[in-house]
Amino acid sequence: MTLNLRLTAALCVALSLCALLAVPGNFPGLSGEARLTLAVFALATCAWIGTPIDDTYIALGAGLALTATGVISSETLFGTLGDQTVWLLICAFVLAAAVARTGLAGRAAAFLVGGARTVRQLVHLTTAALVVTAFAVPATSGRAALALPVFLALAKALADRRRLVVMLALLFPTVILLSAVATLIGAGAHLITASVLWEATGERIGFTQWLLLGLPLAVVSSHLAAEVVLLTTTGRTDRKGPVRITAEQIQEHSDQPVTGPWSSAETRCALLLGTVVVLWCSEPLHRVSPAVVALIGAVVASSPALGTVRLKEALKTVPWPLLLFMAATMAMGVALAESGAAKWLVSGLPKGVTPAVFLTVVVVISTVAHLVLQSRSARSSVLVPLVVAAAAVAGVNPVAAALASTAAAGFCHTLPASAKPVALFADIPGLPTYTPRDLLRLSAVLAPLTAALVLLFALAVWPLLGVPVLKS
């Protein structure tokens, strides 16, 4: 579908919905504030889908429209910028800048990948290393940028085995996207989900609880995806023969030493990062907010005496448009809940739907949503408020439903434009990489597998970890 056709279709749909909402006789029982909220929500969603306008600009416009019409107060709109999830992400990016400056990532890559002797070992060691980066670098695009030099080193070492290079080019973004669910800071969509749950239900998912629920899913889905990538991209002859990746080959693409004694900066940064992660994971013991822990870590990481990066330089790495987008969409979620719009949208759901059927529908819709909404955060902004409201009607635990939707939305591998990491590794000058056909072949197998895995966790695993399927 061309851009002009998409724009025309989106505009027609949005204006039609707004016209229907503007007629007082339509939709009895829907308040004026709810009508305004639904109109703004429909316009924003259609703009995200059908226009090239920046997602953040659309979200800010929607938040401003809701404030100007009195649906939400200005305190609500601007207060979202002070939400602790926003501060958590800011400080996490400062910590990530400190880690990137020291070169710890290169050392970790040389240590892990250098132990591979077969193609399958290389694939799963690389996968394990990429999963670990979810604790050090927030957002999938940042992790993709950090992992690119490691991929370049591997590609050079395997230059005479073209299909293996293509396989690795596909493996990196696949694992980066699926392993993001491991931590609360893995993607901006996770913070939006946590905020929506807090506003709608009063339940706050902390770093520790998300880690307990998300890390097992991230590990299983990442290694399952690694096998799928290996089997769909390479043949048996490609996988034969030994693999030998040396530290010297990785060093060629790193500005910092990857072997030898650690520098004092590397030691300080590793200790700081380890301390922050331990404090995040032990939140139930000390009751200190993850945002406060992250802020302490960011202050130490950028301090003149102990830090490894200047605060001014670290703040330049923070994706401010993403933060503004999150704040604006949080305000939209508040408007949907408080105006009664979300409740009205799901009031017509059929009665008697079993929890398994409800979660199946949620997971399937969330899995395919990337074909319509390319932004992961936008998908959660649209889907999660509706999923939480619908869960209450279906008698399903809203936490389980929201987590299942967010985890399923992490699959976005069908097209090069579906996610930034996929686009980054799809076009690397001078190296063979994957084609749209490779992505489609992978998606045909991986999409149903990941959807089934998320559903399995929601129905069987998460209840064992304290998140029941049924609403209590």
Side-chain angles (χ1 to χ4, degrees):
M1 185 181 292
T2 64
L3 179 60
N4 288 336
L5 185 57
R6 287 180 58 187
L7 178 59
T8 302
L11 183 61
C12 290
V13 170
L15 292 178
S16 298
L17 290 173
C18 291
L20 289 172
L21 291 167
V23 178
N26 290 336
F27 315 119
L30 195 60
S31 67
E33 287 189 349
R35 290 175 185 272
L36 285 170
T37 301
L38 288 176
V40 171
F41 192 77
L43 287 169
T45 302
C46 290
W48 281 327
I49 294 172
T51 71
I53 302 174
D54 184 79
D55 291 342
T56 301
Y57 187 85
I58 295 170
L60 288 174
L64 181 59
L66 292 170
T67 304
T69 54
V71 177
I72 58 174
S73 65
S74 58
E75 288 79 9
T76 298
L77 176 63
F78 296 122
T80 53
L81 277 173
D83 190 273
Q84 63 173 315
T85 56
V86 174
W87 278 93
L88 173 62
L89 196 59
I90 292 173
C91 298
F93 270 98
V94 173
L95 286 168
V99 172
R101 175 63 64 88
T102 60
L104 284 174
R107 283 188 181 274
F111 174 75
L112 285 172
V113 178
R117 294 298 177 267
T118 67
V119 172
R120 182 163 270 107
Q121 284 181 354
L122 175 64
V123 166
H124 286 283
L125 286 173
T126 300
T127 298
L130 291 172
V131 171
V132 171
T133 61
F135 295 89
V137 182
T140 54
S141 56
R143 293 168 62 204
L146 183 70
L148 184 59
V150 178
F151 166 73
L152 294 175
L154 297 178
K156 185 174 181 179
L158 300 170
D160 58 335
R161 302 168 75 175
R162 183 181 183 280
R163 291 307 301 173
L164 293 187
V165 176
V166 173
M167 180 272 295
L168 288 172
L170 195 52
L171 176 71
F172 272 72
T174 298
V175 175
I176 286 171
L177 290 168
L178 292 180
S179 62
V181 74
T183 69
L184 182 61
I185 62 172
H190 302 170
L191 302 177
I192 292 173
T193 297
S195 177
V196 170
L197 280 171
W198 170 249
E199 296 290 346
T201 67
E203 296 189 54
R204 185 179 292 279
I205 299 182
F207 187 94
T208 305
Q209 186 181 11
W210 192 292
L211 181 70
L212 179 65
L213 300 171
L215 182 58
L217 175 59
V219 171
V220 175
S221 62
S222 295
H223 284 279
L224 175 64
E227 278 294 321
V228 173
V229 170
L230 182 63
L231 296 176
T232 59
T233 312
T234 63
R236 185 173 298 178
T237 56
D238 299 317
R239 297 189 291 271
K240 287 183 178 180
V243 170
R244 178 64 176 170
I245 309 296
T246 65
E248 289 74 19
Q249 290 169 323
I250 296 178
Q251 181 68 75
E252 292 178 8
H253 297 272
S254 176
D255 296 331
Q256 304 291 337
V258 299
T259 57
W262 284 35
S263 66
S264 59
E266 289 175 317
T267 303
R268 294 196 307 271
C269 189
L271 289 174
L272 175 62
L273 182 62
T275 301
V276 168
V277 172
V278 168
L279 289 175
W280 277 340
C281 296
S282 58
E283 178 192 357
L285 298 177
H286 53 70
R287 300 294 180 183
V288 179
S289 166
V292 175
V293 172
L295 181 57
I296 294 171
V299 170
V300 174
S302 58
S303 63
L306 300 175
T308 59
V309 65
R310 295 179 60 185
L311 182 60
K312 184 177 180 180
E313 296 175 357
L315 290 176
K316 290 180 181 178
T317 67
V318 178
W320 298 106
L322 172 61
L323 298 178
L324 291 174
F325 178 89
M326 287 173 49
T329 52
M330 286 176 191
M332 292 173 64
V334 172
L336 280 171
E338 293 186 351
S339 68
K343 184 177 180 180
W344 178 85
L345 279 173
V346 301
S347 60
L349 290 177
K351 306 297 182 182
V353 175
T354 64
V357 172
F358 176 82
L359 288 174
T360 299
V361 173
V362 167
V363 168
V364 170
I365 293 176
S366 301
T367 300
V368 301
H370 72 281
L371 298 174
V372 180
L373 277 170
Q374 294 179 348
S375 168
R376 191 173 187 167
S377 297
R379 291 198 295 277
S380 289
S381 301
V382 172
L383 292 174
V384 173
L386 302 181
V387 167
V388 170
V393 175
V396 175
N397 183 0
V399 176
L403 285 174
S405 175
T406 305
F411 177 84
C412 38
H413 304 65
T414 308
L415 301 170
S418 296
K420 292 178 182 177
V422 179
L424 176 64
F425 282 87
D427 184 18
I428 301 176
L431 287 178
T433 184
Y434 48 85
T435 64
R437 185 177 179 180
D438 292 323
L439 283 175
L440 290 174
R441 183 166 56 247
L442 172 66
S443 297
V445 179
L446 193 57
L449 281 179
T450 54
L453 188 62
V454 170
L455 192 60
L456 174 64
F457 268 74
L459 293 173
V461 179
W462 288 341
L464 302 177
L465 300 176
V467 180
V469 175
L470 297 178
K471 184 180 180 182
S472 57

